Amino acid sequence: MPKALLIHPDDTVATLVEPAFSGDTLTFGTQKVTALADTPSGHKIAILPIAKGAPVTKFGFPIGTATADIAVGAHVHSHNLATALDGTLDYRFTPGAVASPPADPDHATFQGYVRADGRVATRNEIWVLPTVGCVARTATRIAALADAALSHASGDGAIDGVHAFTHPFGCSQLGDDLDGTRSILAALACHPNAGGVLIVGLGCESNQIAALLEEIPAARRPMIRTLVTQLAGDEIDEGVAKVAELVALARAERSTVGLDRLVLGVKCGGSDGLSGLTANPLVGRISERVVAAGGSVVLTEIPEMFGAERLLMDRAVDERVFDGIVTMVNDFKRYFLDHNEPVSENPSPGNVAGGITTLEEKSLGAVQKAGRAAVSQVLGYGGRVSATGLTLLEAPGNDAVSCTALAAAGTTAILFTTGRGTPLGFPVPTLKIASNSDLATRKPGWIDFDAGAVLEHGFAPVAEALATTLCAIASGAATAAERNGEREIAIWKRGVTL
């Protein structure tokens, strides 16, 4: 296995897949480069001289500008490379042929729960959703007691569990901020993985149950129960009894379905310099396979498209979708600018330690999770998937907020790549994919799949192994986060608090 990889023939830097020490010789075809300094794995080393003010190229695209002359063999990072991102941009739609992803070679299947509306779930659970943070603990107690009773009374696995998803919001919110909270909760209440839903309110909050129910289709409401705790006698007993009603109604059996029935979310968090070389392009191959089969893939983290957005815009199926991408990207940039923050306020400290220097570099690696699929839909925050193909979803880069938005959009599984590791889990099965084998070895309690194997075995066999793992998890196998009880939501707070 080589010590460093040159991703694109036009690149001026290579990425180390293991540490290099001063004096080490690195080989790229017929070219030999001597490392001028000790450089960690995941970091970049110059393979050509780069003048101050010149672009630095990785993935075949500029990832920023050199802030000093950079010699061949030098470590390239935040001491000599800076972002070139600055403000909103104008874009022009250019119609062109969008490459079709390769077909699913094996017609992969999974065992899912087919719902009455035709959607397919990967879990059959009862969800308890509080309207407001004041009853978050109440919702948790109800879910824990109901789940314990379920485990004691049922051994057939027809109901996979009872889970509460709590948050601190729902009161002291106004306007669009309150609407966002309500939209996320209403969308979660409609999720196919929730065979039934108990909505727990306080009674005096801004996020009233009646208004929340108005955002839920009438056809869904028979599988929803509500509880206003200020009006209840013993709210815990009443809540547990309402969950028991839902359990009796929500029993279901799995049946065999194809990847065309999967709605897949893709996400990266705690990335390192190898994420864009191993885990993200590996997930991109799975995205292509799901889309080619007729399924849906959802990509979010809009700030982590900055610098790579044209790659997605060029794959818009039509001008309407193109305009939607432009509006979403530029509106998100204005969101930063309106708060007097630069649009390039990323990567995180962990990303930087892992070798990612600029937002352009992070974004060019991040968008690879979508593969080459055409973009067929653009959704605002709290929106729900209504099309097959690749959907772009408005949400920030924050792991918990964006994965909650993915779940609310209707994704029934999430592929989550990471180079640094995280224990977090979300309402839907979240498969953690390590970008490097060291992380997978050190954190087996967090990681479900080792994408570092790509460096030794190549993409094709590892992609097949990941597809098999995904189908097993969609069929009921527990993810590491599920085994650890890591299941959270986080709502994007964008307005004033009263």
Side-chain angles (χ1 to χ4, degrees):
M1 184 173 65
K3 181 170 283 193
L5 293 178
L6 183 65
I7 302 170
H8 189 280
D10 294 337
D11 288 352
T12 56
V13 294
T15 302
L16 294 174
V17 297
E18 59 181 76
F21 299 97
S22 181
D24 282 356
T25 298
L26 309 175
T27 302
F28 307 94
T30 60
Q31 181 184 9
K32 294 186 182 298
V33 172
T34 301
L36 301 182
D38 294 351
T39 307
S41 174
H43 287 240
K44 298 172 292 296
I45 194 166
I47 64 166
L48 293 172
I50 306 170
K52 180 180 180 180
V56 175
T57 305
K58 181 179 175 181
F59 301 109
F61 295 92
I63 60 169
T65 304
T67 57
D69 290 337
I70 302 175
V72 174
H75 180 200
V76 179
H77 201 32
S78 48
H79 60 285
N80 55 13
L81 170 62
T83 181
L85 291 176
D86 182 24
T88 60
L89 297 172
D90 294 323
Y91 306 92
R92 180 173 297 176
F93 177 65
T94 305
V98 179
S100 298
D104 177 13
D106 300 320
H107 303 289
T109 62
F110 67 96
Q111 300 295 307
Y113 297 100
V114 181
R115 301 305 192 189
D117 61 5
R119 295 183 298 167
V120 174
T122 59
R123 300 290 185 269
N124 186 37
E125 300 171 334
I126 306 300
W127 289 0
V128 182
L129 303 176
T131 61
V132 65
C134 308
V135 290
R137 180 59 184 162
T138 301
T140 300
R141 291 171 62 197
I142 291 169
L145 288 169
D147 189 63
L150 174 70
S151 300
H152 177 72
S154 174
D156 60 8
I159 299 295
D160 296 320
V162 181
H163 302 280
F165 296 109
T166 64
H167 59 91
F169 303 127
C171 204
S172 302
Q173 290 182 276
L174 299 169
D176 291 343
D177 190 36
L178 176 59
D179 290 343
T181 295
R182 184 179 292 127
S183 294
I184 287 290
L185 293 175
L188 288 171
C190 294
H191 197 282
N193 279 15
V197 174
L198 173 63
I199 299 174
V200 180
L202 179 61
C204 56
E205 65 271 25
S206 302
N207 187 26
Q208 287 284 299
I209 286 179
L212 182 58
L213 288 173
E214 288 179 3
E215 295 199 20
I216 298 173
R220 174 64 171 169
R221 293 177 197 169
M223 300 309 297
I224 291 177
R225 297 293 182 269
T226 62
L227 174 66
V228 180
T229 57
Q230 287 176 340
L231 303 180
D234 186 320
E235 66 275 6
I236 303 299
D237 285 349
E238 289 190 28
V240 171
K242 288 176 182 287
V243 171
E245 291 178 23
L246 293 169
V247 167
L249 293 172
R251 295 192 179 279
E253 298 293 335
R254 291 184 182 270
S255 57
T256 302
V257 294
L259 288 182
D260 60 308
R261 313 302 296 279
L262 188 65
V263 184
L264 181 67
V266 292
K267 171 75 176 77
C268 54
S271 300
D272 67 356
L274 296 181
S275 293
L277 279 69
T278 59
N280 290 345
L282 180 67
V283 167
R285 283 158 171 78
I286 303 300
S287 295
E288 292 174 357
R289 188 166 174 174
V290 170
V291 169
S296 303
V297 174
V298 187
L299 176 70
T300 186
E301 301 179 287
I302 305 308
E304 295 181 19
M305 297 176 188
F306 296 171
E309 65 268 32
R310 285 186 174 88
L311 297 177
L312 297 168
M313 292 173 182
D314 289 345
R315 303 211 302 269
V317 295
D318 54 36
E319 191 167 6
R320 177 187 59 81
V321 172
F322 172 84
D323 290 342
I325 303 172
V326 171
T327 298
M328 183 171 60
V329 168
N330 276 336
D331 282 356
F332 220 115
K333 288 182 176 181
R334 292 189 192 98
Y335 169 65
F336 281 92
L337 297 171
D338 288 347
H339 287 80
N340 299 312
E341 297 291 346
V343 300
S344 59
E345 194 57 42
N346 207 328
S348 70
N351 296 151
V352 173
I356 299 174
T357 309
T358 65
L359 182 51
E360 297 99 309
E361 180 182 7
K362 187 175 184 179
S363 295
L364 286 163
V367 299
Q368 293 186 62
K369 299 190 300 295
R372 296 166 291 172
V375 182
S376 59
Q377 186 177 35
V378 178
L379 286 180
Y381 179 68
R384 307 173 202 176
V385 173
S386 60
T388 58
L390 177 63
T391 292
L392 303 187
L393 171 66
E394 180 191 22
N398 178 274
D399 292 349
V401 174
S402 57
C403 284
T404 299
L406 285 173
T411 64
T412 50
I414 296 174
L415 296 183
F416 188 112
T417 69
T418 180
R420 311 289 289 179
T422 176
L424 269 178
F426 305 101
V428 301
T430 303
L431 196 160
K432 299 288 179 53
I433 303 168
S435 69
N436 61 86
S437 297
D438 175 66
L439 173 62
T441 300
R442 288 188 296 104
K443 286 293 187 181
W446 290 1
I447 299 300
D448 297 286
F449 193 86
D450 177 16
V454 164
L455 298 174
E456 183 175 355
H457 302 292
F459 279 103
V462 182
E464 285 304 310
L466 178 55
T468 299
T469 301
L470 172 60
C471 288
I473 285 172
S475 300
T479 64
E482 287 177 311
R483 290 192 298 271
N484 296 335
E486 294 276 0
R487 295 167 65 97
E488 309 290 343
I489 67 168
I491 297 174
W492 191 11
K493 182 76 170 70
R494 291 178 287 177
V496 299
T497 299
L498 293 175

